[in-house]
Amino acid sequence: MNEKTPVYFIDEKDIREIVNKENPSRKVGDLNIPELEKKINALPAVDSANVYLNLNGKLNLDIKQRVPVFRLNYKGKDFYVDEKGIEFPISKTYSHPCMLVTGDVKKDEYEKLAELVDKIDKDDFSKKYFIGISKYKDSYNLLTSEGIYRVEIGDLDNIELKVKGFKTFVEKYLVFQDPQKYKMISVKYQNQIVTTLNPYFKENDSILKASHKDLVKAPVAIVKKASSTSLKPKENTKPKAVVKPKEKKKTPEKKTAAKPKAKIKIE
């Protein structure tokens, strides 16, 4: 086995068992080299294998393993996909660190998806923010390491432009806000970014909070309170004229004549 090829999924012990099974006599002359090479190449985690005898008649096996670009999980199925878009099963003894992808991803999308993951791995900004990829219906989303929001990118075209748009949004706006504020940030539309607010975020508003910087306050007009004396009407300092009530002339009372008493007759 080539020492330069790191061993992740294939164990040297397993390869020796295959060789011994193909050559029970342990004699080089009895070994069918093309058949052995074919069987090793048939292993799911093998990218390529070259079996040959050197000048000293010693058997050599150069094996290159598949390196996963992402791990796909969908409807209970879990497997790796390499840069060529070839599927191979996960190992019971080794787990390779790579991007986790979920959703109904078609096989003809594997290579483009592998290119996306490769661009994320090579870009410091993207590698910091994006930790996973999900596909819902026909739209891809990048899962982030902070907040609950996802970055909607739509299809797998113009990836560099879409990531650049998200980066601009982060540097100019998101760094000054709580990442919990958003539910989704969409960059799938050309020359525009559409955000969806998180309905469960208590302080959700449209005001951008600058990082420890006070917003410029509008000047407030100072209104002086009127004094209590100024509200009262001015008192007239001149003495008020005393108006005496007019005396009513007494009219002499007329004496009324006494009425005659009624006569009562009793027989």
Side-chain angles (χ1 to χ4, degrees):
M1 186 175 289
N2 193 338
E3 293 180 358
K4 293 182 179 180
T5 304
V7 178
Y8 296 112
F9 302 102
I10 300 173
D11 192 278
E12 188 172 340
K13 182 181 177 182
D14 297 333
I15 298 298
R16 290 188 181 278
E17 287 180 0
I18 294 173
V19 173
N20 293 334
K21 189 176 180 180
E22 290 296 312
N23 185 22
S25 66
R26 305 290 178 90
K27 294 179 180 180
V28 176
D30 296 337
L31 180 63
N32 187 338
I33 292 179
E35 186 64 25
L36 175 61
E37 187 176 273
K38 183 179 179 180
K39 286 197 173 184
I40 294 175
N41 273 309
L43 296 174
V46 172
D47 182 57
S48 63
N50 185 21
V51 181
Y52 60 95
L53 296 175
N54 63 13
L55 295 176
N56 296 324
K58 190 175 181 179
L59 183 66
N60 285 264
L61 295 90
D62 294 338
I63 300 172
K64 182 181 178 182
Q65 300 177 85
R66 297 193 188 282
V67 179
V69 176
F70 60 87
R71 181 170 176 167
L72 182 59
N73 181 278
Y74 181 63
K75 289 186 176 180
K77 294 181 180 180
D78 203 5
F79 51 87
Y80 291 114
V81 177
D82 70 0
E83 62 181 356
K84 297 177 182 177
I86 298 175
E87 301 174 358
F88 63 101
I90 60 174
S91 171
K92 294 180 180 179
T93 58
Y94 175 75
S95 179
H96 187 79
C98 60
M99 185 74 73
L100 177 63
V101 180
T102 59
D104 186 15
V105 180
K106 307 301 180 185
K107 287 187 177 182
D108 58 359
E109 297 176 310
Y110 284 172
E111 286 193 51
K112 273 195 172 183
L113 193 56
E115 290 177 10
L116 168 61
V117 175
D118 184 59
K119 288 177 181 178
I120 291 174
D121 288 340
K122 290 179 179 178
D123 180 61
D124 291 337
F125 172 84
S126 299
K127 197 172 183 179
K128 174 185 174 183
Y129 273 92
F130 305 136
I131 58 173
I133 301 172
S134 68
K135 184 184 180 185
Y136 179 70
K137 294 183 178 179
D138 293 327
S139 185
Y140 280 94
N141 300 279
L142 301 178
L143 308 181
T144 58
S145 57
E146 59 176 42
I148 63 166
Y149 66 88
R150 65 183 190 275
V151 180
E152 185 184 37
I153 60 173
D155 56 31
L156 297 173
D157 296 327
N158 302 318
I159 292 300
E160 290 183 3
L161 187 63
K162 292 173 182 177
V163 172
K164 185 178 179 181
F166 173 70
K167 185 177 181 181
T168 302
F169 179 78
V170 169
E171 293 175 344
K172 291 190 176 182
Y173 300 102
L174 195 58
V175 291
F176 303 125
Q177 302 177 65
D178 190 325
Q180 301 292 333
K181 179 176 181 177
Y182 296 102
K183 181 181 179 181
M184 184 179 71
I185 299 171
S186 179
V187 293
K188 73 176 184 178
Y189 304 104
Q190 189 174 3
N191 298 326
Q192 62 177 320
I193 297 173
V194 180
T195 61
T196 303
L197 296 177
N198 174 15
Y200 301 104
F201 184 61
K202 292 181 180 179
E203 299 178 4
N204 225 339
D205 52 44
S206 58
I207 301 175
L208 301 179
K209 295 179 180 178
S211 178
H212 304 293
K213 294 180 181 179
D214 293 329
L215 296 175
V216 178
K217 295 182 179 179
V220 180
I222 300 174
V223 180
K224 293 183 179 180
K225 292 183 179 180
S227 61
S228 57
T229 55
S230 63
L231 296 176
K232 292 181 180 180
K234 292 182 179 180
E235 294 182 356
N236 193 351
T237 55
K238 293 182 180 181
K240 293 181 180 179
V242 179
V243 180
K244 293 183 179 181
K246 292 182 180 180
E247 294 183 358
K248 293 182 180 180
K249 293 181 179 181
K250 292 183 179 181
T251 54
E253 294 181 0
K254 293 181 179 180
K255 292 183 179 181
T256 56
K259 291 182 180 181
K261 293 182 180 180
K263 290 181 179 180
I264 299 172
K265 184 179 179 181
I266 298 174
E267 291 180 349

